Amino acid sequence: MTVDWQTIADAFGLGGMYALMAVGIGLVFGVLRLVNFAYGQLVMAGAYSLAFAYERGWPVWTGILLCFAVVIVLSVAMDWVVFRPLRTQTPAVMLVATFAVAFLLQSIALLWFGPLGKIAASLSSLNQPWTVGGVDIRKISIVSTAVAAGCLVVLLLILARTNVGLHMRAAAMDFRTARLLGVRANRVIGTAVLLSGLLAATVAVLMTVQTPLVTPDFALRDTILVLAGVVLGGMNRLLSATLGGFAIGFAAGFLGGALPTDQSQYLPSFLFAAVILVLLIRPGGLFTRAGQQAVERV
Amino acid sequence: MRRARAALELLAPVLLVVLVALFGTIVSSSTQTYVVTTLVNVAIVVALYVFIGNSGVVSFGHISFVAVGAWTAGILSMPASEKPAIMPNLAGFLRDTTVGNVPSLALAAAVGALYALIVGLPLMRLSGLAAGIATFGVLEITHNVLRYWEKIGPGLNTFSAVPETTGLLQACVGALIAIVVAFGYQWSRYGRMLRATREDPAAARAVGVSVYGQRLVAFTLSGAIAGLAGGLYVHLLPVNAESFYLDLTFITLAMLVIGGATSLWGAVVGAVAVSAVDSFLAEAENGVSVFGRTLDLPSGTRIVVVGALMALVLILRPAGLTGGRELRVPQALRRSVLTKFSA
């Protein structure tokens, strides 16, 4: 095992990115009780918009604006077309439905852009190293960590200090009671969907720096890992879900960088075995207090 | 009356499968491949139904039992002379053992059941979302291990040189076995107990049904059927680890949901209907003439159409095309028959 600062910084960067995705998934889960399997396809759509802008030589900020616009429109559309009609179904049915949406979006991307992939390299200068105290660390690792931390702080402020944040927390705790007390359901859900879209767009920008080649299955593997991480941390609180996302991102980044190839190829197996183990031993999640269980057992 | 209902419940899916197989005898050999694949899909979807339909718990992990079945049958039935070329690192006893077609299928079913039992022992304690994520984990682990562990299979290589014995007859017999087993299970007391836990876990537990135990029985049984289906698959096409991953999971789940997850009839109808649409679109991706005009769709259209169909069915008709019910004789017909008999 070889550990250097770059590996640790990369692990932090990946952990931060996964934490953002975990928040995006956790926000929607909080108000809708819906696990959005298609979240990665929002990131994919954002990445394609960046590639679109890059191919035409547009300035960086136009590309990022386009990315945010596309992802937000898509996430709101997803809410209107798919989530709304399914609100009354069981969580398992909704999971299958979002699984279908994920495949649908992925194959639309395949049809539209082809299997070979597009390049989105407008921010590739961030892959250059920074020298910090005699150690070279790629800028993107630091930028990802910083952006993730910044987003989380802003989100925390929104949730703690604003009216709509209070409503969202109330809705996440008990949707029916919250509605009885005057919380407007559609507004709360709309805000959650919007915020999770913003986060997906941010992740798309960060992720294209690390992997500039955008293919139809862009972010698919990451979503699967983040979903596992969210369940691992504990679905019913945003904080525990975020920590779970960070933990699995950090573990994946660290072990992937530190282990030799003949061992790291089995990394997904170890990660998912760990997830299954946690589900069995602490079904409420690693980072939840005793007595809080989102998961029922038989 | 009960018998008549039971007979219809079994006969309807059996007849549908036989009709599909008969249709396969009159079409060209390239279309026949699609028909055979449809029949194998019926077996997979019936396996999914035995667990998901009766228990109400979603499993994303069943394709790993199909994969394990395919690996078992493929490795054991490949001629010994071909093995070193495709699987150079195979473990000793797997390298030296070669069995015939039927034993390889039986072993595939047995290994599928065993694997499902081992996986199910811990996992069947979970419900809802946790069960979904955990079974997904099983799929990921199985795919990952089969892809890289060359002692137990071809790794990244493709299973070529496996005798291609799955023709119309074998696929049809396989699908029929799956249907008869699923039917026998759902009419047995175990099937009834599991469906009771699906409708109301608390009430079922109150009358002494072990939710865990009943789910485990169904999981193991569906693992056996899935393993058999995997064996059929490897004898049909040259497959590799990628054949048994997200795409197959998605399409078979879509078949089950579109047909109606809570009935055997729904599972079979869904498998046949979606396979028909899917095969047609797969042909169309290569260019096909319909009513004298050439239809040439870009590749990827299949999944778009099937995904859209699945989303539509979930939104407009969440219980599936069949409403999740077994086929019943319409009320009016039943009444007229009854009056004739009682007169």
Side-chain angles (χ1 to χ4, degrees):
Chain A
M1 223 160 147
T2 51
V3 179
D4 52 21
W5 289 107
Q6 180 61 56
T7 309
I8 294 176
D10 278 349
F12 265 103
L14 195 65
M17 223 150 57
Y18 281 13
L20 288 183
M21 290 178 76
V23 179
I25 292 171
L27 272 174
V28 172
F29 179 78
V31 292
L32 281 178
R33 299 285 127 181
L34 171 133
V35 175
N36 191 359
F37 200 95
Y39 195 68
Q41 276 62 41
L42 292 178
V43 178
M44 172 203 75
Y48 269 115
S49 339
L50 287 170
F52 182 85
Y54 177 72
E55 275 184 351
R56 276 154 193 74
W58 294 358
V60 178
W61 62 269
T62 338
I64 292 178
L65 267 186
L66 181 71
C67 164
F68 273 79
V70 166
V71 174
I72 285 167
V73 167
L74 190 60
S75 69
V76 172
M78 215 193 265
D79 177 43
W80 273 81
V81 180
V82 186
F83 299 168
R84 247 167 228 232
L86 287 176
R87 258 182 224 172
T88 49
Q89 297 289 327
T90 62
V93 170
M94 294 201 283
L95 184 64
V96 173
T98 59
F99 194 57
V101 173
F103 261 82
L104 185 60
L105 291 177
Q106 198 182 318
S107 28
I108 289 175
L110 182 67
L111 272 184
W112 209 336
F113 303 107
L116 289 179
K118 308 257 172 204
I119 306 285
S122 46
L123 286 169
S124 59
S125 58
L126 286 177
N127 279 321
Q128 303 297 320
W130 252 333
T131 312
V132 186
V135 189
D136 282 347
I137 289 176
R138 281 190 300 143
K139 283 181 194 166
I140 182 62
S141 307
I142 298 168
V143 171
S144 300
T145 318
V147 168
C151 285
L152 291 181
V153 168
V154 170
L155 195 74
L156 208 63
L157 286 177
I158 292 177
L159 285 176
R161 294 296 161 97
T162 64
N163 246 336
V164 73
L166 181 71
H167 290 175
M168 277 170 71
R169 281 185 295 142
M173 196 162 276
D174 186 338
F175 204 86
R176 278 180 63 188
T177 313
R179 286 188 76 176
L180 284 177
L181 294 172
V183 169
R184 270 188 273 161
N186 283 336
R187 203 173 125 199
V188 166
I189 293 171
T191 317
V193 167
L194 194 72
L195 284 176
S196 88
L198 282 172
L199 289 166
T202 315
V203 172
V205 175
L206 294 176
M207 209 175 258
T208 45
V209 180
Q210 306 238 0
T211 28
L213 184 69
V214 185
T215 50
D217 61 353
F218 191 81
L220 176 71
R221 295 211 52 79
D222 305 275
T223 317
I224 295 171
L225 272 179
V226 169
L227 274 180
V230 165
V231 175
L232 185 82
M235 288 237 66
N236 55 347
R237 280 174 67 222
L238 210 47
L239 182 67
S240 51
T242 315
L243 281 176
F246 179 80
I248 207 154
F250 189 83
F254 185 75
L255 294 174
L259 291 175
T261 324
D262 61 329
Q263 288 169 26
S264 71
Q265 66 192 14
Y266 290 113
L267 187 61
S269 294
F270 288 117
L271 290 176
F272 278 98
V275 170
I276 291 174
L277 206 65
V278 168
L279 281 175
L280 293 169
I281 299 169
R282 278 188 69 106
L286 269 186
F287 305 114
T288 47
R289 284 182 229 118
Q292 292 181 320
Q293 296 210 339
V295 170
E296 77 263 49
R297 288 183 65 164
V298 293
Chain B
M1 202 58 224
R2 219 180 91 107
R3 283 236 175 102
R5 230 178 77 194
L8 187 65
E9 259 182 59
L10 178 61
L11 273 182
V14 164
L15 275 181
L16 183 58
V17 163
V18 171
L19 277 180
V20 170
L22 286 178
F23 172 72
T25 58
I26 55 167
V27 293
S28 68
S29 69
S30 66
T31 316
Q32 201 179 51
T33 315
Y34 289 118
V35 176
V36 177
T37 316
T38 303
L39 292 171
V40 177
N41 284 339
V42 168
I44 300 178
V45 179
V46 167
L48 286 175
Y49 158 74
V50 166
F51 180 70
I52 299 176
N54 287 309
S55 75
V57 178
V58 176
S59 160
F60 290 99
H62 270 71
I63 296 306
S64 46
F65 310 140
V66 179
V68 167
W71 249 238
T72 310
I75 291 164
L76 291 179
S77 61
M78 195 184 286
S81 55
E82 304 282 350
K83 281 184 188 179
I86 296 160
M87 303 178 284
N89 301 322
L90 203 59
F93 83 100
L94 289 176
R95 196 179 55 221
D96 304 331
T97 323
T98 306
V99 299
N101 174 43
V102 175
S104 79
L105 291 173
L107 279 169
V111 173
L114 185 70
Y115 187 49
L117 177 67
I118 295 169
V119 168
L121 273 174
L123 288 194
M124 288 300 106
R125 298 212 166 272
L126 302 169
S127 304
L129 277 179
I133 299 287
T135 48
F136 208 102
V138 172
L139 178 69
E140 286 288 331
I141 293 173
T142 312
H143 173 251
N144 187 236
V145 168
L146 291 182
R147 207 176 132 98
Y148 292 114
W149 200 14
E150 295 182 340
K151 277 200 164 54
I152 57 160
L156 291 165
N157 289 340
T158 297
F159 265 112
S160 41
V162 176
E164 294 186 355
T165 52
T166 301
L168 261 184
L169 181 67
Q170 180 157 312
C172 181
V173 171
L176 289 179
I177 289 174
I179 288 171
V180 169
V181 170
F183 172 80
Y185 173 73
Q186 84 178 13
W187 273 78
S188 73
R189 57 193 297 258
Y190 301 104
R192 284 165 195 284
M193 286 198 275
L194 186 62
R195 284 203 300 284
T197 71
R198 179 188 76 198
E199 296 304 324
D200 190 337
R205 224 174 303 171
V207 293
V209 176
S210 156
V211 180
Y212 169 69
Q214 295 309 325
R215 283 187 185 166
L216 190 59
V217 170
F219 202 63
T220 311
L221 188 66
S222 71
I225 302 175
L228 172 70
L232 293 172
Y233 230 111
V234 80
H235 283 296
L236 166 67
L237 303 163
V239 291
N240 61 14
E242 299 310 315
S243 321
F244 304 110
Y245 194 38
L246 291 175
D247 285 3
L248 191 62
T249 304
F250 166 71
I251 203 106
T252 49
L253 262 181
M255 287 170 182
L256 184 66
V257 169
I258 289 174
T262 52
S263 71
L264 180 58
W265 175 235
V268 176
V269 166
V272 171
V274 176
S275 298
V277 173
D278 194 44
S279 320
F280 174 75
L281 292 172
E283 257 316 270
E285 281 176 9
N286 303 327
V288 70
S289 74
V290 186
F291 305 120
R293 293 170 66 183
T294 311
L295 187 64
D296 195 0
L297 299 170
S299 80
T301 322
R302 294 167 51 201
I303 303 222
V304 173
V305 172
V306 174
L309 260 181
M310 182 173 172
L312 265 183
V313 166
L314 275 169
I315 291 165
L316 300 178
R317 207 176 150 83
L321 291 178
T322 61
R325 298 219 179 86
E326 300 296 347
L327 192 65
R328 295 271 160 80
V329 181
Q331 196 74 36
L333 185 67
R334 209 180 337 175
R335 212 169 286 142
S336 74
V337 172
L338 268 185
T339 44
K340 214 177 277 172
F341 272 106
S342 55

